[in-house]
Amino acid sequence: MSSSSSSSATSSALIAAFWMSGAHASFISMAVAGRAIQTELNTFELMAYRSVVGFVLVCLVIAFSKDRFAQVKTTKAGTHVLRNLFHFTGQNLWFYGITVIPLAQLVALEFSSPIWVALLAPLMLGESMTRSKFIGAMIGFIGVLVVARPGIAPLELGHLAGLGASIGFAMNTLFTKKLMRTDTTLCVLFWMTASQAVMGFALAAPGGVTMFSLGMTPWIILVGVAGLSAHYCLTSALRHAPATIVAPMEFARLPLIAIVGMVVYGEPLELAVFVGAALILAGNLYNIIAQRRLRKAAA
């Protein structure tokens, strides 16, 4: 490799690291804000108000973009609906999870989402189930068992919520891949925030929608902004560096949120959570590297 290409790769990795630091800050902010908000609101109300904040922000960006609202037209309405049903469900489970199990455990279980993507892609996208995908998935699921420790530690609803959230996020990823073949990112975000605001208010309505207090307003704004900025930063990181570089950076979120959980909420640091998360990451990386080698061999 020449010095110029090596320098370019290093520069790209540093830029990706910058964007990933933004993603970490956003995801951690969303967790802290989500816990604070649920002292007043349930998850449906939280998602409704968060989506309203996101919808306003997305509309402002669209209004000042080149094609404005013409770019939100879509021929894939059904796919948008399915994507947002899975994302809405996964996000509700995630927000529930942050209130009942330690933050580090929830994030470790959330890391299994790419494993589900690898297993479900053959069914959803017609991709082949390769040996490497299967091995990577098995390594990842061993990691999930290490984190949850069924039979050793009590299996709580929060653990099931974390796994459910990871499956919801995986389905969201698969449907997003389908949509990105025809629709823009702003189109996807527009329909996501609009539809999930409706879903949140509709599901909260039978019990009566609670209006949050004035003191809760900063948390509501934070969770809405962080929800958009997290995904924007993650997408930007992947634009500058391959998944083999970005995936290990994502692992840094675990010790960061574990420290937040310990300092802010007095949650214990558990070795099993880090070991399990490392196995989940190893499964993801094994699959990514194996697929990359297969593409090179086919080229």
Side-chain angles (χ1 to χ4, degrees), residues 117-196:
V117 171
L119 289 176
L120 294 169
L123 297 174
M124 300 293 299
L125 302 177
E127 297 179 1
S128 59
M129 171 54 73
T130 63
R131 179 172 172 269
S132 61
K133 286 182 180 180
F134 181 78
I135 293 174
M138 291 305 99
I139 296 171
F141 281 126
I142 291 171
V144 169
L145 292 175
V146 171
V147 173
R149 287 168 291 166
I152 299 174
L155 188 63
E156 300 178 16
L157 284 176
H159 297 117
L160 298 178
L163 284 174
S166 71
I167 296 172
F169 294 153
M171 293 297 292
N172 167 66
T173 298
L174 293 170
F175 280 113
T176 301
K177 285 185 176 182
K178 283 189 173 184
L179 287 170
M180 294 309 290
R181 296 170 182 169
T182 56
D183 294 354
T184 65
T185 301
L186 284 175
C187 176
V188 171
L189 291 175
F190 176 88
W191 291 113
M192 180 189 80
T193 52
S195 62
Q196 292 190 23

Side-chain angles (χ1 to χ4, degrees), residues 227-278:
L228 292 178
S229 63
H231 295 291
Y232 181 82
C233 288
L234 184 57
T235 302
S236 297
L238 288 168
R239 191 181 300 124
H240 288 282
T244 48
I245 300 296
V246 174
M249 295 179 185
E250 173 71 359
F251 185 72
R253 179 154 57 104
L254 181 64
L256 290 173
I257 204 160
I259 291 170
V260 170
M262 179 184 66
V263 173
V264 179
Y265 304 110
E267 297 175 353
L269 292 176
E270 297 182 338
L271 179 61
V273 173
F274 288 88
V275 172

Side-chain angles (χ1 to χ4, degrees), residues 59-79:
C59 285
L60 285 173
V61 173
I62 291 173
F64 288 97
S65 62
K66 182 180 178 181
D67 296 324
R68 297 192 179 182
F69 286 91
Q71 62 190 301
V72 305
K73 293 180 181 178
T74 181
T75 59
K76 305 290 184 181
T79 307

